Amino acid sequence: KQEVTQIPAALSVPEGENLVLNCSFTDSAIYNLQWFRQDPGKGLTSLLLIQSSQREQTSGRLNASLDKSSGRSTLYIAASQPGDSATYLCAGYSGYALNFGKGTSLLVTP
Amino acid sequence: EAQVTQNPRYLITVTGKKLTVTCSQNMNHEYMSWYRQDPGLGLRQIYYSMNVEVTDKGDVPEGYKVSRKEKRNFPLILESPSPNQTSLYFCASSGIYEQYFGPGTRLTVT
């Protein structure tokens, strides 16, 4: 079974900083990888999907990379804002099944 | 608009009283699944369905049932809910590349 680990579990940064969230997975045969955002008690918002044949995806201030050989993905957030405060979840696909990490709780302070 | 809907969004019930959480998608997806999310444990898959009349257990199926009589619907059934099933539940349907999640159902069993 694909195991997905996210480090750090929690992160607090001042507004304006660039930051990197890390995700590692055990099975290099991972299909696709997806990053989600979740606000407290709310649903999952898909941020970026990196398909198996791709190495990175960008959306606005977000950039996600995928290195299957090393079993790692990173989510880069540029010029962080208080509105970015949320939990960020990484999930790897094994076929149709999604295996989630436990998330990184991000707090961006004004 | 492509979407996954769940009902109810919030539910408080008592131990042993049967309940059903409905899930519907309008994207003609074949694959659908249910997850539960608990603090410290992350998101875990309960059941999934590859197509109509084809369902299988995920990682935490105990105490749950599902049915898939139509492609668009995938209800989650708790025949005798217990307090340890208090959780946040998500339904998802999957296209070729990614899964789409419903808004979540917060269930409390007293």
Side-chain angles (χ1 to χ4, degrees), chain B residues 60-99:
Chain B
V60 288
E62 294 77 21
Y64 304 95
K65 285 178 59 176
V66 292
S67 70
R68 187 90 181 275
K69 299 189 186 313
E70 306 169 278
K71 199 172 190 179
R72 63 183 292 124
N73 296 322
F74 190 43
L76 179 69
I77 303 159
L78 287 73
E79 295 215 325
S80 184
S82 62
N84 66 11
Q85 292 178 299
T86 292
S87 188
L88 180 58
Y89 292 85
F90 290 102
C91 178
S93 74
S94 185
I96 297 175
Y97 297 115
E98 66 180 293
Q99 286 196 15

Side-chain angles (χ1 to χ4, degrees), chain A residues 1 31-32 34 36 38 40-44 46 49 51 89 93 96-102, chain B residues 10 31 35 37 40-43 45 50 59 88 90 94-99 101-103 106:
Chain A
K1 183 183 187 306
Y31 187 47
N32 297 335
Q34 195 164 357
F36 296 86
Q38 186 176 30
K42 303 296 185 183
L44 303 174
S46 179
L49 169 74
Q51 295 179 31
L89 297 165
Y93 284 83
Y96 285 107
L98 256 183
N99 298 291
F100 282 87
K102 293 183 180 178
Chain B
Y10 302 90
Y31 183 93
Y35 296 84
Q37 185 178 33
L41 297 176
L43 278 126
Q45 191 180 56
M50 296 294 292
D59 297 321
L88 180 58
F90 290 102
S94 185
I96 297 175
Y97 297 115
E98 66 180 293
Q99 286 196 15
F101 283 80
R106 182 165 295 282

Side-chain angles (χ1 to χ4, degrees), chain A residues 3-6 23-24 88-92 99-104, chain B residues 37 41-43:
Chain A
E3 297 290 337
V4 180
T5 303
Q6 291 187 248
C23 171
S24 62
Y88 291 81
L89 297 165
C90 163
N99 298 291
F100 282 87
K102 293 183 180 178
T104 294
Chain B
Q37 185 178 33
L41 297 176
L43 278 126

Side-chain angles (χ1 to χ4, degrees), chain B residues 2 14 26-27 61 65 82 98 109:
Chain B
V14 296
N26 63 359
M27 294 167 278
K65 285 178 59 176
S82 62
E98 66 180 293
V109 183

Side-chain angles (χ1 to χ4, degrees), chain A residues 48-68:
Chain A
L48 291 165
L49 169 74
I50 310 174
Q51 295 179 31
S52 180
S53 59
Q54 299 171 328
R55 292 187 62 86
E56 66 177 315
Q57 281 286 335
T58 298
S59 175
R61 294 182 294 108
L62 305 179
N63 174 276
S65 67
L66 174 62
D67 184 343
K68 294 173 64 176

Side-chain angles (χ1 to χ4, degrees), chain A residues 11-25:
Chain A
L11 180 63
S12 180
V13 301
E15 181 177 7
E17 273 205 7
N18 302 325
L19 58 101
V20 175
L21 307 182
N22 296 295
C23 171
S24 62
F25 44 90

Side-chain angles (χ1 to χ4, degrees), chain B residues 17-28:
Chain B
K17 186 177 181 180
K18 181 179 179 179
L19 67 92
T20 299
V21 184
T22 65
C23 173
S24 182
Q25 52 97 1
N26 63 359
M27 294 167 278
N28 202 37

